[in-house]
């Protein structure tokens, strides 16, 4: 079994940074730009941004015969309040 040292503080900090970027559906360009810059800071240069704004990064591993993929969303889901109705007293 391979044991890995995982820097949970780093992961938590980066997660909080990404979550704090406003990115409602259809307006994810700021979050994608953040991910792109993070990849660059980690030395990952091989990536594409699709016509629809998705980022696909290619990261070499020890064994290129065994391909792996991670998929994630960077858009946030939110509710839009159109109207607040007065509650009816049911007593």
């Amino acid at each position: 079994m391979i044991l890995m040292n995982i820097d949970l503080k780093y992961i938590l900090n980066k997660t909080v940074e990404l979550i704090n970027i406003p990115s409602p559906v259809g307006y994810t360009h700021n979050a994608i730009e953040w991910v792109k810059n993070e990849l660059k800071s980690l030395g990952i240069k091989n990536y594409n941004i699709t016509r629809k704004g998705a980022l696909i990064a290619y990261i070499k591993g020890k064994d290129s015969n065994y391909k792996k993929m991670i998929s994630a969303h960077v858009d946030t889901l939110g509710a839009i309040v159109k109207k607040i109705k007065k509650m009816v007293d049911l007593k």
Side-chain angles (χ1 to χ4, degrees):
M1 177 192 319
I2 298 173
L3 296 177
M4 298 175 15
N5 289 328
I6 298 173
D7 187 343
L8 293 177
K9 186 174 181 180
Y10 171 83
I11 292 171
L12 182 59
N13 287 337
K14 293 301 174 180
T15 301
V16 169
E17 283 180 34
L18 181 56
I19 289 171
N20 280 314
I21 299 170
S23 56
V25 175
Y27 297 94
T28 59
H29 50 278
N30 290 334
I32 291 293
E33 188 68 21
W34 182 90
V35 172
K36 183 178 82 173
N37 290 331
E38 288 300 314
L39 290 172
K40 283 182 182 178
S41 76
L42 295 169
I44 298 166
K45 300 172 187 167
N46 191 6
Y47 61 84
N48 295 22
I49 297 180
T50 67
R51 285 186 337 204
K52 293 194 173 198
L55 187 143
I56 302 172
Y58 304 91
I59 304 167
K60 289 197 177 236
K62 289 181 181 178
D63 181 359
S64 61
N65 291 320
Y66 179 64
K67 305 210 184 318
K68 296 148 283 292
M69 183 183 100
I70 297 173
S71 175
H73 286 262
V74 296
D75 56 336
T76 54
L77 299 176
I80 298 174
V81 178
K82 292 183 179 181
K83 185 176 181 181
I84 298 176
K85 296 180 181 179
K86 182 178 179 181
M87 272 185 61
V88 177
D89 190 2
L90 298 176
K91 290 183 183 179

